[in-house]
Amino acid sequence: AVQLRLRSMMILTAVCLGALPSIGGSFICTAVGYVTQATGHATCVFKVLLAYYLSSGLAIGLGNSKDAWFDAQFSTHKTFRFRIYVPVAMLIVLLPLAGRSMTQLPDEPTMEMVLLLCLCVAGVGFFCGVLVVTGTVIVGSLRYQSRDSLVLSWIGVACAGLACIVAQWVTGFGPFAAPSEVHAFFDCGALLSALCLAICAALDLSGAWEQAFDRTAEEEEPLQVVAPRDRRPMWSPAIQGGNAAITVFLFPLLPLVRCRNLATTLVLWKLFMDFVGPVLMLCWRCPWPFAGTAGLISTRVALLAVVLCLIPRSADFKIPLIIAWNLLMLCGSVLTCAMDRLLEGSSAQPAAPEALAAAVAADTADVPVVEGSADDGDAKPPLTWLSRVRANRLAHQLGIVVGLISAGIVVYAAAGNGGVVQATALRCRGLPPCAAPSAALAGTQHWPCGGGGGGSGAAVGGAGGGRDSVRIFHYGANMGCAKLEALGIYPLAATPARAAGFRLSFGSTPGFPTSAQEPAFGGLLPCGDGGCVHGIVHELTRSDLAALSATEPGYALGELPDVTAYHGELLRGVLAYLPFGALVAEAPSRRYAGLVWCQANASLAPGYSRQLACELAGLGIVGLSCAQENFQPLAAQSQSFLGAFRRSAGRT
């Protein structure tokens, strides 16, 4: 019963001390999308993450080399309690403060505002790093009760990630969350830290940690000094650092995923794999072979190449990407635990407390192990073992920084290309339901697509078009000239306008020519929140209208009652293609989304362009590049309209 109680307390200790330093990182990383869209600058995310991980690495480095003063001035019990309770208390204060500083970021944040946020995040990172060092020593000292203590601490790390996902779901936190939802999300992080602190305090008061404190104090050496007696190659920190770098490198690249909600799905799978890896290591009772390490490393490198190739093609290879991603993250989780298991000695049995007492009484640092174990004849001092674990933790943190910087270089290089739109970097919070028109774009353009001479058609305005012309409000692919020219249609005039009481939505409905490549198209839906949709009013001849309508299956012409040109004139008798039935919301193809957005960005008000980018970002379509991606109408992708019409059945 006593052994069962001790083991239960050890499990709680390992899980809590694994979760505590991970809560801050999980909540800060989850807020990356919010920070990006709130500031309108994709680079802010790297400043925030670098502030967190650099300060955390600094704390771990100081813990490895500069803690001798604490050890000489205070007792072991006081030192460890200070290193647990004070950092957690600071996390409880700093996490809500970081959340509130995020909600104060404007569209164009000043350097002072970004600096304040980075300071809050750096404080969270520093105290999390302190908890990493302290938890490593305590959990490592408890390893004589179980060889699985470090593996259990990784389960604690995964628990923090899952708790963060639950908090996100409960509070509704996301890239476009309201300030109250942001505050509630980070308050949940503070509450989770307080809960773990309460559990740790209960374990401390029960005496569960006394053995760890006493074991360290009996060595009569500073807690964090690296003993030079163990000269075995320290290759495990290098492996653990490289392993962490590979994992972190992929996360800033997730915006390149082009499938709806796939990026979030991949993150959730990663958190699940963080659980599966330690569980597999708990079930593995045999010595960990060197061939297993080599196999995991080579497999992970190969899977990394596969994932990097599949991310830009995720629309066509969604399932293969998820499978490769899961295997990659599972290998990483197992490899991380395996490096700690090697330090514990996978086949060594825990020494009995009597044997430990005899070893201390004999003034020896050797820890007895059973005969035939992997450490037989080469048992090492606990302090040296702990220094190896601390080296693993420091290498893990440095690997995260290296992976983050490497991914930042890639993203910076991509952001430097002209015309790249980071849809998630746009501030959607607080956008008006009806964007204001642009005075610079007001007015009517005659023969916008060429093909005619002046005066053959009436300008858009007045009570109606010419006798043989009709006004059509275009809001999708028809806004541009590419499709119209492919159909041989040359509008007489064009003017930007907005239609009140409608909004643009993407989806499918019976009659739409949807397919695996083109799952959805745009349509107008009534709205009662004062919203509006922007578009181009084209004046077409009635003979052209028949050819255009043939390419719009699933739509019917209907009159829009309230259409106002950008120059303020109310336009009457304006028709639009409206979907036959109710739209079932669905993300369009990247081709169609880019075609609509690039035309809106070039011809309509900037405020509406931002609204449209936010709508597409909510559907998982980001990073649109009008300059480098070929967003062409299907009708224009063939040399002849007849061939395109026959193959696509008149798809928009």
Side-chain angles (χ1 to χ4, degrees):
V2 174
Q3 290 297 325
L4 180 60
R5 177 176 176 272
L6 289 175
R7 181 171 177 81
S8 299
M9 290 184 174
M10 183 275 300
I11 292 175
L12 280 176
T13 298
V15 172
C16 286
L17 292 180
L20 269 174
S22 304
I23 291 174
S26 299
F27 278 75
I28 294 297
C29 291
T30 304
V32 163
Y34 180 86
V35 172
T36 307
Q37 68 82 22
T39 61
H41 297 278
T43 56
C44 281
V45 60
F46 295 102
K47 297 174 184 177
V48 171
L49 291 179
L50 281 176
Y52 176 84
Y53 285 114
L54 285 176
S55 60
S56 180
L58 174 64
I60 295 176
L62 291 176
N64 275 355
S65 58
K66 302 297 182 181
D67 261 356
W69 184 85
F70 275 99
D71 304 327
Q73 297 294 324
F74 303 100
S75 69
T76 305
H77 295 229
K78 292 181 179 179
T79 300
F80 273 113
R81 289 188 173 100
F82 178 84
R83 292 175 183 169
I84 292 176
Y85 297 132
V86 172
V88 177
M90 294 303 299
L91 286 180
I92 295 173
V93 174
L94 287 174
L95 278 173
L97 184 61
R100 280 151 181 80
S101 63
M102 289 180 186
T103 59
Q104 299 302 315
L105 293 174
D107 286 325
E108 295 294 335
T110 63
M111 183 179 297
E112 291 77 11
M113 291 179 177
V114 176
L115 180 60
L116 175 61
L117 175 60
C118 289
L119 286 176
C120 293
V121 172
V124 173
F126 183 84
F127 290 111
C128 286
V130 173
L131 289 170
V132 168
V133 175
T134 306
T136 297
V137 176
I138 294 179
V139 174
S141 297
L142 291 174
R143 88 187 198 278
Y144 302 107
Q145 296 176 10
S146 171
R147 67 182 183 180
D148 297 322
S149 56
L150 290 181
V151 177
L152 290 170
S153 70
W154 284 111
I155 292 181
V157 170
C159 286
L162 293 183
C164 178
I165 294 297
V166 172
Q168 182 185 25
W169 177 74
V170 170
T171 61
F173 178 76
F176 311 126
S180 59
E181 295 171 335
V182 180
H183 298 167
F185 177 70
F186 281 92
D187 290 345
C188 285
L191 290 175
L192 286 172
S193 300
L195 176 62
C196 289
L197 179 62
I199 296 175
C200 289
L203 292 170
D204 186 13
L205 293 175
S206 69
W209 291 357
E210 293 300 320
Q211 180 184 353
F213 293 156
D214 294 338
R215 181 62 188 165
T216 307
E218 288 165 356
E219 293 172 6
E220 297 181 354
E221 296 184 44
L223 295 178
Q224 312 297 342
V225 171
V226 178
R229 287 169 284 181
D230 193 346
R231 296 184 174 86
R232 289 180 294 179
M234 296 273 288
W235 47 268
S236 61
I239 294 177
Q240 198 157 78
N243 190 44
I246 290 175
T247 300
V248 174
F249 176 79
L250 289 171
F251 277 85
L253 303 181
L254 286 180
L256 299 177
V257 172
R258 298 178 177 180
C259 292
R260 181 185 183 186
N261 299 325
L262 182 55
T264 302
T265 301
L266 294 177
V267 173
L268 294 176
W269 274 114
K270 193 271 179 185
L271 293 176
F272 180 69
M273 291 300 113
D274 285 345
F275 256 119
V276 175
V279 169
L280 290 178
M281 289 305 298
L282 285 176
C283 298
W284 183 274
R285 313 312 296 178
C286 302
W288 183 258
F290 175 78
T293 302
L296 286 175
I297 294 174
S298 58
T299 301
R300 197 145 204 253
V301 171
L303 289 171
L304 174 64
V306 172
V307 170
L308 290 176
C309 291
L310 291 179
I311 282 179
R313 303 173 177 85
S314 57
D316 300 322
F317 299 98
K318 180 178 179 180
I319 300 302
L321 175 59
I322 293 177
I323 294 175
W325 173 275
N326 288 343
L327 292 176
L328 177 67
M329 295 304 165
L330 178 60
C331 289
S333 180
V334 171
L335 189 59
T336 297
C337 296
M339 292 302 97
D340 285 347
R341 173 62 66 82
L342 283 176
L343 299 181
E344 293 176 335
S346 60
S347 64
Q349 298 296 327
E354 297 80 4
L356 289 174
V360 173
D363 195 24
T364 176
D366 291 340
V367 179
V369 294
V370 297
E371 184 178 355
S373 69
D375 291 338
D376 191 19
D378 192 26
K380 297 299 174 182
L383 188 61
T384 301
W385 179 88
L386 288 177
S387 68
R388 285 179 172 271
V389 177
R390 289 194 297 270
N392 273 9
R393 295 298 178 268
L394 180 59
H396 185 270
Q397 204 74 14
L398 292 177
I400 290 175
V401 174
V402 170
L404 186 63
I405 293 176
S406 301
I409 293 174
V410 174
V411 174
Y412 267 95
N417 296 327
V420 174
V421 179
Q422 295 294 340
T424 56
L426 298 173
R427 185 183 177 90
C428 300
R429 182 183 57 207
L431 286 178
C434 183
S438 172
L441 298 173
T444 298
Q445 182 182 3
H446 299 283
W447 298 100
C449 302
S456 56
V460 176
R467 179 179 302 175
D468 296 326
S469 64
V470 62
R471 296 189 183 120
I472 305 296
F473 181 85
H474 286 148
Y475 51 87
N478 295 345
M479 288 191 294
C481 291
K483 177 184 175 181
L484 299 178
E485 289 177 352
L487 299 176
I489 298 175
Y490 299 94
L492 307 177
T495 188
R498 55 179 181 169
F502 288 89
R503 64 180 179 86
L504 176 61
S505 183
F506 297 95
S508 61
T509 189
F512 275 14
T514 55
S515 64
Q517 291 73 30
E518 301 292 338
F521 296 100
L524 295 186
L525 296 179
C527 63
D529 58 356
C532 67
V533 60
H534 290 229
I536 301 294
V537 176
H538 282 132
E539 185 169 349
L540 307 177
T541 63
R542 294 190 182 276
S543 59
D544 289 337
L545 185 61
L548 181 60
S549 297
T551 68
E552 300 293 339
Y555 295 89
L557 282 173
E559 185 173 352
L560 300 180
D562 189 1
V563 179
T564 305
Y566 275 15
H567 57 267
E569 182 179 357
L570 180 63
L571 306 180
R572 301 187 184 279
V574 178
L575 305 178
Y577 286 102
L578 305 176
F580 276 136
L583 285 180
V584 178
E586 184 61 60
S589 67
R590 187 174 182 84
R591 178 205 65 83
Y592 183 79
L595 178 64
V596 175
W597 188 89
C598 289
Q599 187 59 44
N601 191 50
S603 306
L604 300 178
Y608 180 72
S609 176
R610 292 183 58 178
Q611 281 185 329
L612 184 55
C614 290
E615 173 78 13
L616 294 174
L619 297 173
I621 301 175
V622 296
L624 297 172
S625 175
C626 303
Q628 297 193 1
E629 296 184 78
N630 187 26
F631 301 127
Q632 289 294 323
L634 293 179
Q637 294 178 1
S638 173
Q639 295 181 352
S640 69
F641 164 65
L642 182 60
F645 182 80
R646 288 175 177 174
R647 286 194 301 272
S648 63
R651 294 175 188 170
T652 301

